[in-house]
Amino acid sequence: MHSIWAVARNTLAQALRMKIAAVVILLLLILLPLMSMVMDGDGTLLGKLQTFTSYGLGLISLLLCILTIAISTYTLSNDLKCKYIFLVVTKPIRRFELILGKLLGIILLDILLLGIFSAILYGCTRLIPKITDAPESQKFQANAEFFTSRIGIKTELAKDLINNRARQRYNELKSSNQIPEDMSYARIMSELYVQEAMKVKRVDPGQTKEWDFEDVRVKNADDPNTFIFVRYKYQTAAPPPDEKVYGLWQVGDLRQFKAGAAKIKTPVYNVERDEVIRVTHEFAVPANAIAEDGYIGISFFNSTALNQTAIIPEELELLYQTGNFTANYFRAVLMILVRLVFLAVIGISLTTWLSFPVAVLVCITIFFVGLTNTFILDAIGGVGATAGMIYSILLKPLLWLLPQFDGVYNPNGYIVAGRTIQWTFLATTALFTLLVKGLLMLLAGMLIFRRREVARVAA
Amino acid sequence: MVTTENQYAIETISLTKIFPDWWGRAKVIAVEDLNLQVLQNEIYGFLGPNGSGKTTTIKMLLNLLHPTKGASFVFGGSVDSPAISGRIGYLPEESYLYRYLTARETLDFYGRIFGLPADIRKARIETLLEMVGLSGMGNRQIATFSKGMARRIGLAQALINDPDLLILDEPTSGMDPMGTRQIKDLFVELARRGKTILLCSHLLADVEDVCDRIGILYGGRMQVEGTVRQLLQQKDEMQMRTGQLSGRALEQIKRIVSSEGSPIDIEKPMDKLESFFIKVVAKARQEKQRTSGVEAGTGISGFLAEKPVVQHENILDKLVGAHPQKGPEEPEKSDRVEATKSPPVSQTQPPEADYGLLQQLTRQKTEAPLPSTETVQKEPEKPSVKKDILDDLIRKKSSGSTEITQPEKKEDTENA
Ligand SMILES: Nc1ncnc2c1ncn2[C@@H]1O[C@H](COP(=O)(O)OP(=O)(O)O)[C@@H](O)[C@H]1O
Ligand SMILES: [Mg+2]
């Protein structure tokens, strides 16, 4: 253990005395406060906060990733190249302890730098509302949507139902010989799917649409100060004259009406809104609207008296708060740390058998694949043809071994939207990234290094 | 791994290292069939010209390289085991120290790896810095050190764990004469305290007055091995060492000796081991042993010399130069030379090749020979050549600056 610690200290000293660490530190120290001043987003306070944290976290993550890649590929390979290692491995230290020591050193450096810079970013983020003179409504919005930690439940489109209806329509058209001859089956079907999906989504004047959410569990739901939020965006069949939609919403246990019950146990809230189309909106209702069994229904009524066109409410989402911003920010930082540790593992593992330039190249490639890997894996999953099969057999295991830094694994998205990174998700991500993928690479590296003739010069 | 206390501090069994080329074919046979046995509490001088395989042997001992064949043991076990590597101090051929650390941090780092408690570590660091004469520079970065200074830190580093076995690869390279002397005194002191030292060098002055036993390596093979005394004694000759004598006194001595019927030759004293070493290497060369190390160099490069150097036709050089390395499938032509048995001697013209070797050796000598005993009995070396190469050398070299002379010796072969 003492030898691991000795190597870790030495690696830390090496990294801190390397110019690259100084450059990264300097860059961040200059850029972060500067960004907090010049970034404006869409002009609102929320927009400013979102742009700043998004770029800030992105910059910290990127620079520290590069630093980690550089140091982790440099430290062991340089020891080998400059033969420093002769004086280390001949002492009472096992080869795997040397690797673990180097890794520990880099992780400590990452924790140190990430801690410092995320603290600076946090400080700036908290400072922005105080130094900006924004109207109260904007401050309220920022608190409700940014300085919070919420979980969202989205409604899902009944794809099977829509598919069935599309197929049914196709058959009807076919029997009545209305199929255009110059169109392929796939194209007609996709067209029909879009049409049928629109039918399901649209709410014609005078009609009501309802969405059901099961098993919604909110802490302190009875507290009148606990809120749930409904988030949505309007599209319309024809543009309304003032670009506005008048919506009549109902949130609560809607089953109570259907049962025809005389007395209503849980409150149902009526919400009236007039809002511009194509922009995301949000309203809050007290959380006591949720029924005891966790059910809550949301309905939208398109009144003929107020609107003249069919309305398509999109991206409907029910949100509720699970914690505070600070804790969520901390989890976002931990998620970046998982990323950094994984890169350090890869860097060191690669240099047990590759030289510095090659290892850097491979490492950077892995990093960039990681930045789009979730997207790639999804895309491959979507391809159904034979070519897709081949890709998924050959490429998928390889891509699986590589990290995923994008999509749900990107902490930026959560912080910008004020969404909760759940501990369970963070833990499983860390476990899977580090203890499965990372450990596999590390063990391979240790195995190679154990057998390596360190005095052998590469030709 | 259980380490049985072994009588040998170092033992190698048929240790062989062949460096393959890019295609995996044998390219360089660096060490071949080496059976080295270093006793506990012994200073062993591991000699050999550049490229003879000394460093390669050490690297195999320390598991920095894997032997192609054979095995090596340190204290009866493998250096992989921390229990054994914790007892070794190693100074590599160059001081491979982290350049960004200060001298003190460097020693602290290695001390920590050995798991030394903080107080012992601190005390030892100060003592060692003092010992190597760098106590005032403890907080300077290694990068700012001269080669000799770094070398001293390298030595301090090798001693931080108070090792039972010191493996030193050319410890005096880059070191000034005072440092060299200090190091040699240190070796004697350490040996007195029961330590074992493997002293690897091509500088004969390093080893000759401190080593209990020496082995001479050439072309990866052990040529001779034995105690310094055994190897250098010549039983049928005597040498007198006096101060500067007047001509008259010399005449008288000569008269007395002639009356005894013994030949006499009066010369200035000289290095004993040096001539022996040269002879061993020359012999190995003459027997056309291949080496992957340095061949005989030519005197001074033509463009460097003020006057053109006369290049003598050298049959030996040609022979050796034509086959610098034998293929592995080629049968071995020479027997292994040992101190106890001598192979048949081939009749070859005395080589000028050794002029270069001699120069190379003397150039790097940092110290004057130390006369130790009044009289040294001399015994002709067992493996010797028909005509002493050095005799020939001296005669031809009239303008050379090297101050080495050799007592005129009778041609002597055991098997003649
Ligand atoms: N890594 C290597 N690859 C190929 N040849 C090597 C390597 N290391 C040493 N050699 C060769 O092995 C021989 C012995 O070298 P070395 O043990 O360093 O000699 P010494 O220490 O006695 O001067 C030399 O010919 C050298 O060129
Ligand atoms: Mg050497």
Side-chain angles (χ1 to χ4, degrees):
Chain A
M1 198 53 220
H2 50 79
S3 42
I4 295 181
W5 180 236
V7 174
R9 280 170 49 106
N10 186 28
T11 310
L12 200 61
Q14 178 182 35
L16 287 176
R17 288 172 202 184
M18 255 169 80
K19 291 237 166 56
I20 181 164
V23 167
V24 167
I25 292 170
L26 205 72
L27 265 178
L28 283 173
L29 282 181
I30 296 171
L31 284 178
L32 283 183
L34 196 74
M35 273 171 29
S36 76
M37 283 185 265
V38 298
M39 292 235 157
D40 259 346
D42 62 1
T44 65
L45 178 62
L46 178 69
K48 188 179 168 94
L49 286 166
Q50 287 175 333
T51 345
F52 173 61
T53 45
S54 173
Y55 277 96
L57 275 180
L59 188 71
I60 291 175
S61 169
L62 180 73
L63 285 182
L64 289 186
C65 280
I66 290 174
L67 180 72
T68 303
I69 290 175
I71 291 175
S72 64
T73 47
Y74 176 81
T75 181
L76 186 64
S77 61
N78 191 54
D79 275 17
L80 284 161
K81 188 176 149 235
C82 297
K83 303 182 183 177
Y84 298 148
I85 200 154
F86 285 15
L87 282 180
V88 181
V89 292
T90 50
K91 302 217 165 5
I93 181 172
R94 295 188 182 272
R95 302 257 170 119
F96 77 86
E97 290 178 318
L98 176 64
I99 291 185
L100 284 183
K102 296 241 170 231
L103 193 61
L104 181 63
I106 299 169
I107 292 174
L108 287 179
L109 179 79
D110 280 336
I111 290 176
L112 184 78
L113 294 184
L114 188 63
I116 293 173
F117 294 117
S118 57
I120 293 178
L121 185 75
Y122 179 82
C124 291
T125 309
R126 284 292 191 188
L127 204 67
I128 284 176
K130 297 202 175 78
I131 57 170
T132 332
D133 53 346
E136 264 321 299
S137 65
Q138 282 194 17
K139 287 195 175 169
F140 180 82
Q141 188 193 23
N143 278 329
E145 294 184 30
F146 183 80
F147 288 115
T148 182
S149 169
R150 302 185 298 181
I151 283 182
I153 313 169
K154 281 203 165 116
T155 53
E156 267 177 44
L157 215 55
K159 284 200 179 120
D160 288 343
L161 177 82
I162 297 168
N163 259 328
N164 280 341
R165 286 193 188 161
R167 218 165 290 132
Q168 210 177 322
R169 275 274 306 284
Y170 182 84
N171 291 337
E172 282 166 22
L173 288 176
K174 198 167 186 188
S175 54
S176 58
N177 261 338
Q178 281 180 287
I179 300 283
E181 272 168 24
D182 54 341
M183 278 170 89
S184 71
Y185 173 73
R187 223 184 118 197
I188 294 169
M189 275 304 285
S190 75
E191 193 105 314
L192 289 175
Y193 182 90
V194 170
Q195 284 178 15
E196 288 303 318
M198 188 52 84
K199 269 189 208 160
V200 170
K201 287 198 280 184
R202 69 188 276 159
V203 187
D204 287 317
Q207 281 193 329
T208 301
K209 186 169 165 55
E210 196 183 308
W211 298 268
D212 298 324
F213 297 87
E214 309 274 348
D215 216 23
V216 181
R217 303 289 172 190
V218 180
K219 252 187 280 170
N220 302 329
D222 295 332
D223 184 341
N225 286 320
T226 309
F227 290 93
I228 55 172
F229 308 84
V230 180
R231 205 177 162 84
Y232 54 88
K233 196 184 208 170
Y234 294 122
Q235 299 287 358
T236 49
D242 54 356
E243 294 275 297
K244 271 186 169 178
V245 160
Y246 296 83
L248 298 175
W249 295 83
Q250 261 189 342
V251 184
D253 187 358
L254 303 178
R255 293 172 303 186
Q256 295 172 112
F257 303 130
K258 278 172 220 152
K263 57 177 192 311
I264 284 175
K265 261 176 23 193
T266 50
V268 174
Y269 295 94
N270 291 312
V271 181
E272 290 176 29
R273 313 278 288 182
D274 58 325
E275 286 157 336
V276 292
I277 56 170
R278 288 194 291 270
V279 175
T280 306
H281 302 288
E282 193 175 306
F283 64 81
V285 295
N288 57 12
I290 304 168
E292 245 169 46
D293 62 350
Y295 168 85
I296 188 165
I298 299 172
S299 76
F300 173 78
F301 174 54
N302 185 358
S303 159
T304 26
L306 299 168
N307 306 304
Q308 282 80 47
T309 170
I311 298 165
I312 306 116
E314 281 192 324
E315 295 168 25
L316 186 91
E317 194 177 7
L318 178 74
L319 295 138
Y320 56 95
Q321 193 168 354
T322 60
N324 60 23
F325 173 73
T326 309
N328 205 37
Y329 183 82
F330 181 66
R331 287 189 290 267
V333 171
L334 284 186
M335 212 142 151
I336 296 179
L337 186 64
V338 169
R339 188 184 286 200
L340 295 177
V341 172
F342 184 77
L343 287 174
V345 167
I346 290 197
I348 289 190
S349 303
L350 284 176
T351 45
T352 56
W353 55 288
L354 290 178
S355 68
F356 174 66
V358 186
V360 164
L361 209 69
V362 175
C363 221
I364 287 180
T365 309
I366 289 176
F367 175 59
F368 279 108
V369 170
L371 286 181
T372 49
N373 202 7
T374 307
F375 171 75
I376 297 174
L377 283 170
D378 281 354
I380 289 175
V383 180
T386 334
M389 284 277 286
I390 294 167
Y391 274 128
S392 60
I393 289 167
L394 293 177
L395 262 174
K396 229 178 170 172
L398 192 74
L399 287 169
W400 180 88
L401 257 183
L402 299 179
Q404 281 168 283
F405 297 148
D406 60 336
V408 293
Y409 303 100
N410 180 8
N412 277 21
Y414 292 94
I415 291 302
V416 165
R419 300 305 173 93
T420 303
I421 302 169
Q422 282 175 295
W423 276 113
T424 46
F425 175 72
L426 178 63
T428 42
T429 306
L431 219 72
F432 186 63
T433 313
L434 298 181
L435 284 187
V436 180
K437 295 181 184 182
L439 202 64
L440 231 95
M441 302 235 183
L442 194 64
L443 287 179
M446 283 174 174
L447 221 66
I448 293 167
F449 196 55
R450 211 172 79 113
R451 284 298 306 158
R452 175 155 180 185
E453 291 184 280
V454 296
R456 190 60 161 274
V457 282
Chain B
M1 178 168 186
V2 186
T3 57
T4 47
E5 210 42 56
N6 199 293
Q7 60 163 325
Y8 296 121
I10 293 175
E11 188 181 11
T12 72
I13 297 163
S14 209
L15 197 64
T16 303
K17 183 70 191 180
I18 298 168
F19 289 108
D21 67 3
W22 203 75
W23 303 101
R25 293 175 308 202
K27 190 174 75 174
V28 175
I29 304 175
V31 178
E32 191 174 2
D33 223 7
L34 182 69
N35 292 296
L36 185 68
Q37 281 156 353
V38 178
L39 295 166
Q40 305 236 19
N41 194 13
E42 177 176 57
I43 305 188
Y44 189 96
F46 197 36
L47 296 174
N50 298 136
S52 55
K54 305 181 298 290
T55 302
T56 307
T57 305
I58 289 181
K59 284 176 180 167
M60 282 189 284
L61 281 176
L62 292 170
N63 204 17
L64 295 171
L65 286 174
H66 301 160
T68 311
K69 205 177 104 236
S72 65
F73 302 96
V74 177
F75 293 123
S78 151
V79 287
D80 265 355
S81 145
I84 288 178
S85 52
R87 296 171 64 192
I88 302 175
Y90 166 51
L91 176 66
E93 53 192 334
E94 275 169 54
S95 318
Y96 302 124
L97 302 167
Y98 289 99
R99 293 169 55 80
Y100 54 85
L101 292 179
T102 66
R104 199 167 267 120
E105 285 170 337
T106 303
L107 297 181
D108 187 64
F109 168 59
Y110 295 116
R112 278 173 191 273
I113 294 187
F114 280 111
L116 301 176
D119 48 342
I120 295 184
R121 210 166 57 222
K122 293 229 165 56
R124 277 197 194 162
I125 289 171
E126 296 316 314
T127 324
L128 284 171
L129 283 174
E130 189 97 14
M131 191 196 91
V132 298
L134 292 173
S135 51
M137 283 156 247
N139 292 330
R140 264 176 58 182
Q141 280 193 352
I142 300 289
T144 68
F145 279 13
S146 75
K147 188 183 177 205
M149 287 159 83
R151 202 85 191 125
R152 284 161 187 257
I153 295 296
L155 183 68
Q157 161 278 136
L159 293 168
I160 190 117
N161 57 328
D162 191 18
D164 295 330
L165 169 66
L166 261 177
I167 297 178
L168 306 164
D169 199 347
E170 296 179 14
T172 56
S173 81
M175 205 116 26
D176 55 37
M178 282 98 70
T180 310
R181 183 71 254 167
Q182 256 184 335
I183 283 190
K184 290 207 277 186
D185 291 346
L186 175 75
F187 295 159
V188 175
E189 175 61 23
L190 288 171
R192 206 177 56 75
R193 293 191 191 178
K195 315 284 186 197
T196 311
I197 301 174
L198 178 66
L199 185 53
C200 165
S201 187
H202 64 274
L203 296 183
L204 307 173
D206 281 359
V207 294
E208 97 172 300
D209 45 349
V210 293
C211 289
D212 300 318
R213 267 195 321 141
I214 57 169
I216 297 182
L217 203 65
Y218 179 78
R221 290 176 149 255
M222 190 67 90
Q223 303 294 333
V224 281
E225 200 182 21
T227 64
V228 179
R229 233 164 200 289
Q230 267 175 9
L231 294 176
L232 298 180
Q233 264 185 0
Q234 304 190 345
K235 294 218 174 76
D236 59 355
E237 275 187 20
M238 293 197 104
Q239 188 180 335
M240 271 171 80
R241 222 174 263 258
T242 69
Q244 190 65 39
L245 296 176
S246 67
R248 205 167 56 83
L250 281 177
E251 278 312 306
Q252 282 178 346
I253 291 168
K254 272 191 182 162
R255 249 202 319 278
I256 295 167
V257 176
S258 322
S259 69
E260 289 266 308
S262 165
I264 181 164
D265 171 43
I266 295 171
E267 293 278 349
K268 294 252 159 63
M270 59 155 300
D271 288 355
K272 298 143 302 228
L273 181 57
E274 192 154 339
S275 56
F276 178 72
F277 178 82
I278 292 168
K279 207 182 292 175
V280 170
V281 175
K283 184 173 181 306
R285 254 193 210 140
Q286 208 160 21
E287 286 164 0
K288 297 175 223 160
Q289 272 193 22
R290 52 110 194 89
T291 173
S292 57
V294 289
E295 301 291 332
T298 55
I300 190 163
S301 288
F303 75 96
L304 290 169
E306 274 176 40
K307 287 173 203 160
V309 173
V310 187
Q311 298 284 337
H312 303 284
E313 258 305 279
N314 192 320
I315 297 162
L316 187 68
D317 253 5
K318 269 191 177 171
L319 281 169
V320 181
H323 310 282
Q325 287 134 26
K326 238 188 289 173
E329 65 284 337
E330 215 170 315
E332 201 56 61
K333 271 178 205 141
S334 62
D335 278 330
R336 200 173 150 220
V337 185
E338 279 175 28
T340 45
K341 66 166 187 227
S342 57
V345 170
S346 52
Q347 190 89 35
T348 324
Q349 194 183 317
E352 270 82 38
D354 296 276
Y355 171 64
L357 178 62
L358 193 61
Q359 269 220 333
Q360 180 201 331
L361 291 163
T362 47
R363 232 184 289 132
Q364 277 167 306
K365 228 173 80 54
T366 51
E367 260 194 289
L370 294 154
S372 48
T373 43
E374 297 271 284
T375 329
V376 176
Q377 284 205 317
K378 280 198 165 189
E379 187 194 10
E381 290 83 343
K382 276 156 201 158
S384 66
V385 289
K386 263 286 177 205
K387 195 171 181 337
D388 199 305
I389 47 164
L390 283 154
D391 296 355
D392 194 65
L393 190 68
I394 294 153
R395 248 175 265 124
K396 281 193 177 161
K397 187 175 68 70
S398 49
S399 59
S401 60
T402 326
E403 280 176 47
I404 280 203
T405 55
Q406 163 80 8
E408 201 67 56
K409 235 187 284 173
K410 265 196 183 147
E411 291 174 15
D412 166 81
T413 41
E414 270 188 355
N415 29 9

